[in-house]
Amino acid sequence: MKTLNLPIALIVTTMSSLSGAFTTKPPLFVDQQKSHKSLISMAPKLEDAAAAVAGEKKRVAAADVKDVYLFREGNKSMREILGGKGANLAEMTNIGLPVPPGFIISTKVCNDFLERNELSADLERKYIEALRTVESQIGRDFADTRALPLLLSVRSGAVASTPGMM
């Protein structure tokens, strides 16, 4: 059996609370009376996003690639760095769609690990810093045992999709 060594990114995003209430803005279509106004107010952002896609895409030089990106720091042209899911979540965040805050551990970390068989010494500091940013955006702590803790979802996202793989 042939194995594929595709670099992956880890996408970490917040989840709804245990009570079912969203930790950030509710999804776009929850309130039917406001949904039409939301779509109208979002139209200029979507037009700007379409114009940005039609224009030149900004590529990040390899030396400038970070280990950890907040969603707001990326965009869909960074697919090789953020993986497919990560790039799409970053793009949706930047055009104003209601995406819960989160961060991405880049494909650079995966590539570095495959080359050296170890994680960089400062990776923990970088993802803890991103986690603290998300905690402050949501107003909850990840390890809080007294109140409702911040719940996270961690998923992988490869640069290329491999149908049938789980």
Side-chain angles (χ1 to χ4, degrees):
M1 182 166 123
K2 186 177 180 180
T3 60
L4 299 175
N5 284 332
L6 295 175
I8 62 164
L10 291 178
I11 298 99
V12 181
T13 186
T14 55
M15 297 173 47
S16 59
S17 70
L18 294 173
S19 65
F22 282 85
T23 55
T24 60
K25 295 182 269 183
L28 182 62
F29 298 109
V30 168
D31 185 342
Q32 294 298 323
Q33 293 176 342
K34 293 182 181 178
S35 65
H36 181 68
K37 290 179 186 176
S38 295
L39 285 173
I40 291 172
S41 68
M42 197 182 299
K45 292 178 184 177
L46 295 175
E47 289 171 9
D48 290 345
V53 170
E56 288 185 29
K57 292 182 178 180
K58 179 183 172 187
R59 291 286 177 186
V60 178
D64 295 334
V65 175
K66 299 182 344 177
D67 289 343
V68 179
Y69 289 84
L70 295 169
F71 287 173
R72 67 176 181 244
E73 297 175 317
N75 61 61
K76 75 178 194 175
S77 72
M78 298 171 68
R79 185 177 220 69
E80 289 92 29
I81 298 165
L82 305 178
K85 287 179 195 148
N88 289 333
L89 285 165
E91 187 69 20
M92 289 187 294
T93 297
N94 288 321
I95 64 171
L97 293 176
V99 175
F103 61 92
I104 303 151
I105 298 175
S106 73
T107 58
K108 174 185 177 294
V109 173
C110 180
N111 287 330
D112 291 349
F113 179 78
L114 291 173
E115 285 177 22
R116 294 191 286 269
N117 203 29
E118 65 182 2
L119 296 171
S120 68
D122 61 345
L123 177 61
E124 183 176 2
R125 177 191 57 79
K126 292 174 183 177
Y127 79 75
I128 293 292
E129 182 179 311
L131 178 61
R132 297 294 176 244
T133 301
V134 171
E135 286 176 332
S136 69
Q137 289 174 311
I138 296 295
R140 293 189 179 173
D141 292 330
F142 179 65
D144 190 350
T145 58
R146 294 174 301 223
L148 283 176
L150 176 65
L151 300 177
L152 300 175
S153 169
V154 180
R155 301 184 295 165
S156 64
V159 174
S161 177
T162 51
M165 300 297 287
M166 290 260 180

Short mmCIF file of all heavy atoms in Angstrom, two decimals, residues 23 49 56 114 122 147 150 165:
data_model
loop_
_atom_site.label_atom_id
_atom_site.label_comp_id
_atom_site.label_asym_id
_atom_site.label_seq_id
_atom_site.Cartn_x
_atom_site.Cartn_y
_atom_site.Cartn_z
N THR A 23 -20.93 30.94 21.15
CA THR A 23 -19.99 31.71 21.94
C THR A 23 -19.66 33.04 21.27
O THR A 23 -19.09 33.90 21.89
CB THR A 23 -18.69 30.90 22.14
OG1 THR A 23 -18.20 30.52 20.86
CG2 THR A 23 -18.94 29.69 22.99
N ALA A 49 -14.64 41.04 -1.70
CA ALA A 49 -13.94 39.76 -1.72
C ALA A 49 -13.80 39.24 -3.14
O ALA A 49 -12.75 38.75 -3.54
CB ALA A 49 -14.69 38.73 -0.86
N GLU A 56 -4.69 40.31 -8.33
CA GLU A 56 -3.52 39.47 -8.06
C GLU A 56 -3.57 38.90 -6.65
O GLU A 56 -3.97 39.57 -5.72
CB GLU A 56 -2.25 40.31 -8.20
CG GLU A 56 -1.92 40.66 -9.62
CD GLU A 56 -0.59 41.39 -9.71
OE1 GLU A 56 0.28 41.15 -8.87
OE2 GLU A 56 -0.46 42.18 -10.63
N LEU A 114 8.35 16.37 9.62
CA LEU A 114 8.72 15.26 8.75
C LEU A 114 10.21 15.26 8.44
O LEU A 114 10.83 14.20 8.29
CB LEU A 114 7.91 15.31 7.46
CG LEU A 114 6.42 15.01 7.61
CD1 LEU A 114 5.68 15.25 6.29
CD2 LEU A 114 6.19 13.59 8.10
N ASP A 122 9.81 26.40 20.15
CA ASP A 122 8.91 27.50 20.48
C ASP A 122 7.49 27.34 19.96
O ASP A 122 6.68 28.24 20.07
CB ASP A 122 9.50 28.83 20.03
CG ASP A 122 9.72 28.91 18.53
OD1 ASP A 122 9.68 27.87 17.85
OD2 ASP A 122 9.91 30.03 18.04
N ALA A 147 -16.36 27.55 35.65
CA ALA A 147 -17.44 28.04 34.78
C ALA A 147 -17.46 27.19 33.52
O ALA A 147 -16.81 26.15 33.45
CB ALA A 147 -17.20 29.51 34.44
N LEU A 150 -13.91 27.06 27.59
CA LEU A 150 -13.85 27.24 26.15
C LEU A 150 -13.70 25.86 25.50
O LEU A 150 -12.79 25.11 25.85
CB LEU A 150 -12.66 28.12 25.78
CG LEU A 150 -12.40 28.33 24.29
CD1 LEU A 150 -13.55 29.10 23.65
CD2 LEU A 150 -11.09 29.07 24.09
N MET A 165 -10.25 9.31 1.99
CA MET A 165 -9.36 9.20 3.14
C MET A 165 -10.06 9.80 4.36
O MET A 165 -10.70 10.82 4.27
CB MET A 165 -8.06 9.94 2.89
CG MET A 165 -7.27 9.44 1.70
SD MET A 165 -6.74 7.73 1.88
CE MET A 165 -5.46 7.93 3.08
#
